[in-house]
Amino acid sequence: MHIVIIEDEPAIRQELKLLLENALYKVTALDEFQNTASAALTAKPDLILLDIKLPGESGFDVCTKIRAVSEVPIIFLTSQTDCADELNGMLKGGDDYITKPFYLPLLLARITAVLKRTAKAAGQGKEQDILQYKGVELDIARGSIRCQDSLAELTKNEFKILYYLFQNTGRIIPRIELIEYLWDNQVFIDDNTLSVNMTRIRTKLEQLGVHNFVETKRGMGYRL
């Protein structure tokens, strides 16, 4: 996934770029703000992070120009907390609105949620019946996991957690992002419940002869 950052403050721009690259996104950070909409679209992004206060023209104006020719998802970033600004951003065609200073794991979760919603709306949500990674198969239709000839059934929460990890292989998924994903799918889960489910998932994998499949990155999250 390719994200374009349109942010005129160098420190924030660099912080966002490093964060997203560490999350394994491809990132283009614009550092010139003439013909901004055109420059952003030329990069062919999957999502745009757009500051409202820009030199020359506002982020609202940039969003209007982008929306005239593209439905690429746009998340506004701003230090303004006025509800009227948030409403204006949505009316201009923004998909989400996050105020500064932002909590970085939450920003990642919001990016994931927007990408998921827009892919579904575009009809790109057709999925394989089975997801595979490192010899382990997640059966979507049956809600089970298999390795070679061994099979384990999964609970609803266990399946949703593994499904999300399979969809993001190689990327560290913050705990709050997993919780927000499950909440977005109408499954109530808190931090302690997530830990319990992860323990049960690991136990079932070990029963299949699979060890260290889900990696814990201390203070960061989980990764396949």
Side-chain angles (χ1 to χ4, degrees):
M1 288 290 184
H2 184 193
I3 297 177
V4 166
I5 299 170
I6 305 176
E7 165 63 63
D8 66 321
E9 294 185 35
I12 296 177
R13 184 168 65 237
Q14 184 63 17
E15 180 185 22
L16 285 170
K17 187 173 187 294
L18 289 174
L19 166 74
L20 295 172
E21 287 176 340
N22 286 338
L24 301 183
Y25 287 108
K26 178 182 177 182
V27 181
T28 298
L30 301 186
D31 54 11
E32 294 184 2
F33 304 97
Q34 295 179 345
N35 301 316
T36 306
S38 177
L41 292 174
T42 298
K44 298 182 179 179
D46 296 295
L47 183 141
I48 295 173
L49 293 179
L50 176 58
D51 189 24
I52 290 180
K53 287 188 174 181
L54 295 170
E57 61 181 342
S58 74
F60 295 139
D61 295 331
V62 174
C63 182
T64 298
K65 291 178 181 179
I66 291 172
R67 279 290 168 263
V69 294
S70 173
E71 291 300 316
V72 61
I74 295 172
I75 297 179
F76 282 108
L77 298 175
T78 180
S79 56
Q80 302 179 90
T81 58
D82 191 334
C83 291
D85 286 326
E86 182 174 357
L87 177 59
N88 193 19
M90 298 301 103
L91 292 175
K92 293 291 186 181
D95 294 275
D96 207 342
Y97 182 103
I98 298 177
T99 56
K100 305 173 189 175
F102 39 77
Y103 180 47
L104 298 183
L106 181 57
L107 174 62
L108 286 174
R110 302 283 277 273
I111 288 171
T112 300
V114 168
L115 287 171
K116 180 181 65 176
R117 286 199 306 267
T118 53
K120 184 176 181 180
Q124 299 171 0
K126 296 181 180 178
E127 304 166 298
Q128 308 172 46
D129 291 332
I130 295 177
L131 299 178
Q132 300 184 36
Y133 188 67
K134 292 184 177 180
V136 177
E137 298 181 354
L138 181 66
D139 190 319
I140 294 172
R142 294 186 57 180
S144 61
I145 196 160
R146 175 189 297 274
C147 183
Q148 297 181 350
D149 295 327
S150 300
L151 176 75
E153 298 294 331
L154 299 169
T155 66
K156 185 177 182 179
N157 283 1
E158 291 166 358
F159 172 79
K160 287 182 174 293
I161 291 167
L162 275 174
Y163 175 80
Y164 196 72
L165 291 172
F166 266 83
Q167 293 281 33
N168 293 274
T169 54
R171 182 167 77 86
I172 298 172
I173 310 298
R175 291 174 64 89
I176 192 171
E177 184 173 332
L178 269 174
I179 291 170
E180 180 129 330
Y181 166 74
L182 291 163
W183 178 259
D184 190 56
N185 283 273
Q186 290 79 52
V187 177
F188 177 76
I189 185 169
D190 59 21
D191 192 73
N192 184 61
T193 305
L194 178 59
S195 297
V196 170
N197 277 274
M198 292 303 301
T199 298
R200 290 173 177 168
I201 287 169
R202 287 193 170 103
T203 298
K204 290 183 178 181
L205 285 165
E206 289 171 359
Q207 290 171 350
L208 302 181
V210 180
H211 301 275
N212 302 318
F213 185 69
V214 180
E215 180 183 1
T216 298
K217 302 295 288 184
R218 187 172 297 277
M220 299 174 70
Y222 303 102
R223 178 174 64 187
L224 291 192

